[in-house]
Amino acid sequence: MRKHFVQNLLFLILVNLIVKPLWIMGIDRTVQNTVGNTVYGTYIAIFNFTLIFQVLLDFGLQNYNNQTVSKAPLAMRNLFPNIVVAKLILSGIYVLIVFALGWLLGYTRQDLMLLSILTLLQIAGSFLLFFRSNIAALQRFKTDSIFSVLDRFIVIAIVSILLFLPQIKAHFSIEYFALAQLAAFTIALIAAFKVCTRLSNIHWHHIHLRKVRLVLKRSVPYALLVFLMGIYMRSDMILLQKLGAKELAGKYAAAFRLLDVSNNMSGVLLAGLLLPL
């Protein structure tokens, strides 16, 4: 077990060390330099706004599912379809709340268009994390490690083409960046879904709203933790933007990305392996 854990941890760290610094310093930073601090500041504020309310998409289902399936792998057959239904219902609620609050905050038409793309991005990311929680729970850690960077790898490929071709770079907008991420997450979640259906014989006819309600009720403690930490980590740039300091929000984001990648390269990766074990 120790050898298995160490081997998978080293592989996980290795693939993340290769891809994520390239993403942070090569792509994300270049996009900010291309569109400017003011535009990027608006983007990151809206992105963090959608991220705070991501708890409505997940509602602790990912961690609950991870623990349940790791203890009883056969439970995935019945649990998987019910959580998919729960997440579809939560996605509808998430969209309504995010757009209602966006309207109350006075977002412009352009801001709302960016909010639409980033809302779909968060929904796609939430489903990808759920599919990955099943893969990790079944001890397929190397497969999960690949999926932990697959979306970023695809974005790097797409945005590199957009940024390093002069005729496209001259007309590059922040919406292109958001759409590239949405495309990458969509491709990754489809691939992860295919892997899940191959790892377990999913019983799609065992969908029951009563079980969906029970799963959501048991996930409340996880959801509360995610929501409180989301406010703690992501509200600062939203406040900066609403105070009118859009350029300052962009500069703050440039520094924050270093903290963000260091968090994701240490404790988060380790916790992802320890929880199912």
Side-chain angles (χ1 to χ4, degrees):
M1 177 62 76
R2 290 181 183 177
K3 183 179 179 182
H4 176 68
F5 171 73
V6 172
Q7 285 178 341
N8 286 287
L9 178 61
L10 290 176
F11 180 76
L12 177 62
I13 292 174
L14 177 63
V15 294
N16 277 270
L17 277 174
I18 293 171
V19 175
K20 291 198 173 168
L22 180 60
W23 156 256
I24 291 293
M25 302 309 296
I27 300 300
D28 197 47
R29 179 174 172 272
T30 304
V31 167
Q32 182 173 2
N33 291 337
T34 302
V35 300
N37 286 329
T38 301
V39 173
Y40 189 84
T42 299
Y43 158 78
I44 204 68
I46 296 175
F47 178 83
N48 283 352
F49 174 72
T50 62
L51 197 60
I52 286 176
F53 293 98
Q54 192 191 34
V55 64
L56 296 171
L57 292 172
D58 177 60
F59 214 74
L61 292 172
Q62 177 192 334
N63 289 332
Y64 170 74
N65 179 74
N66 195 309
Q67 286 194 325
T68 303
V69 175
S70 63
K71 293 175 183 176
L74 291 179
M76 180 179 169
R77 297 179 179 182
N78 299 327
L79 192 60
F80 187 92
N82 285 285
I83 292 184
V84 167
V85 171
K87 289 183 75 66
L88 288 172
I89 295 170
L90 291 171
S91 295
I93 296 171
Y94 171 77
V95 169
L96 291 174
I97 291 177
V98 165
F99 274 91
L101 291 174
W103 179 74
L104 289 174
L105 288 172
Y107 282 158
T108 65
R109 183 177 179 181
Q110 187 175 2
D111 290 341
L112 289 174
M113 181 165 51
L114 187 57
L115 180 65
S116 301
I117 301 171
L118 294 177
T119 297
L120 292 174
L121 176 63
Q122 295 299 344
I123 293 173
S126 174
F127 273 94
L128 176 59
L129 288 173
F130 166 62
F131 297 151
R132 283 182 54 200
S133 74
N134 287 281
I135 296 169
L138 296 174
Q139 311 286 308
R140 303 301 178 97
F141 294 122
K142 288 184 179 178
T143 304
D144 180 54
S145 298
I146 292 172
F147 278 111
S148 73
V149 296
L150 179 60
D151 56 290
R152 297 301 181 201
F153 182 79
I154 297 172
V155 175
I156 289 170
I158 296 173
V159 178
S160 293
I161 296 172
L162 297 177
L163 286 176
F164 297 109
L165 289 177
Q167 61 271 31
I168 299 178
K169 185 178 180 180
H171 305 286
F172 187 84
S173 70
I174 197 66
E175 286 80 13
Y176 292 170
F177 183 50
L179 286 170
Q181 292 181 76
L182 178 59
F185 270 91
T186 303
I187 293 169
L189 78 86
I190 292 172
F193 176 78
K194 291 290 186 181
V195 170
C196 287
T197 54
R198 289 183 179 181
L199 290 176
S200 180
N201 184 21
I202 308 299
H203 293 170
W204 293 102
H205 57 283
H206 284 176
I207 296 175
H208 301 290
L209 291 179
R210 183 179 177 183
K211 189 163 187 176
V212 170
R213 187 169 63 250
L214 178 63
V215 168
L216 290 174
K217 184 178 179 181
R218 290 177 177 176
S219 299
V220 169
Y222 300 102
L224 181 61
L225 175 63
V226 172
F227 181 62
L228 293 176
M229 287 306 298
I231 294 174
Y232 175 71
M233 290 293 292
R234 301 291 176 175
S235 60
D236 37 19
M237 277 174 274
I238 300 172
L239 294 173
L240 286 172
Q241 188 214 18
K242 298 315 294 180
L243 289 169
K246 294 182 180 180
E247 185 177 359
L248 183 60
K251 293 179 179 179
Y252 185 92
F256 184 83
R257 68 163 61 98
L258 299 176
L259 173 65
D260 202 25
V261 74
S262 64
N263 283 339
N264 282 285
M265 289 294 294
S266 54
V268 174
L269 294 181
L270 183 60
L273 282 180
L274 288 176
L275 185 61
L277 286 174

